[in-house]
Amino acid sequence: MTDEKKQQAIKLLKQGLETVEEREYTEIAEVPTEDENRFEVKYSFVHDGIEGIFTVIGERANANDEEELKINLLSEFADDSLHYDSATAKEQVDNDLINVEEYLHRHINEG
């Protein structure tokens, strides 16, 4: 994926997470990656009084298909985080990312 599409995907990720009312997400920083079909962005979140940090990993799902860009979004939590044992927080983040992934796919291929 081009750098332009990567930046567009990161922007759409941020916009999508901003629409989540139940949790508060704040972008911390983009993590540089060597892989042209992958991006990583660190986020903090607040969920039911639990605060935590995680990394959103975006990977191109269809590297061979130039027609329509598809990106899978995954969350990665550090093993030593306070929220690591909170399955509910991780589950909620993952559910939010599923919705954001749908939002991203609706908008990334426009124009």
Side-chain angles (χ1 to χ4, degrees), residues 35-49:
D35 188 339
E36 68 180 25
N37 289 313
R38 178 184 171 111
F39 61 84
E40 296 182 16
V41 184
K42 283 213 178 283
Y43 270 88
S44 66
F45 74 94
V46 178
H47 168 75
D48 286 344

Side-chain angles (χ1 to χ4, degrees), residues 98-111:
I98 289 169
N99 294 328
V100 171
E101 192 175 290
E102 291 171 9
Y103 174 84
L104 191 152
H105 290 154
R106 277 196 310 272
H107 297 284
I108 192 93
N109 293 300
E110 292 177 353

Side-chain angles (χ1 to χ4, degrees), residues 5-83:
K5 282 293 185 185
K6 211 183 258 196
Q7 290 307 310
Q8 184 183 5
I10 291 169
K11 181 179 174 186
L12 289 168
L13 167 65
K14 183 177 183 176
Q15 288 173 356
L17 286 175
E18 286 174 353
T19 66
V20 176
E21 295 178 6
E22 295 82 17
R23 278 158 293 291
E24 182 181 330
Y25 291 100
T26 305
E27 181 179 339
I28 298 172
E30 185 178 340
V31 180
T33 60
E34 297 292 323
D35 188 339
E36 68 180 25
N37 289 313
R38 178 184 171 111
F39 61 84
E40 296 182 16
V41 184
K42 283 213 178 283
Y43 270 88
S44 66
F45 74 94
V46 178
H47 168 75
D48 286 344
I50 298 172
E51 296 181 28
I53 295 175
F54 68 101
T55 303
V56 176
I57 299 169
E59 291 186 317
R60 184 168 185 168
N62 56 343
N64 296 332
D65 184 1
E66 293 299 321
E67 294 287 317
E68 189 172 282
L69 182 62
K70 294 267 189 217
I71 297 172
N72 294 327
L73 298 177
L74 309 164
S75 67
E76 185 175 272
F77 290 79
D79 290 346
D80 60 350
S81 336
L82 296 173
H83 56 276

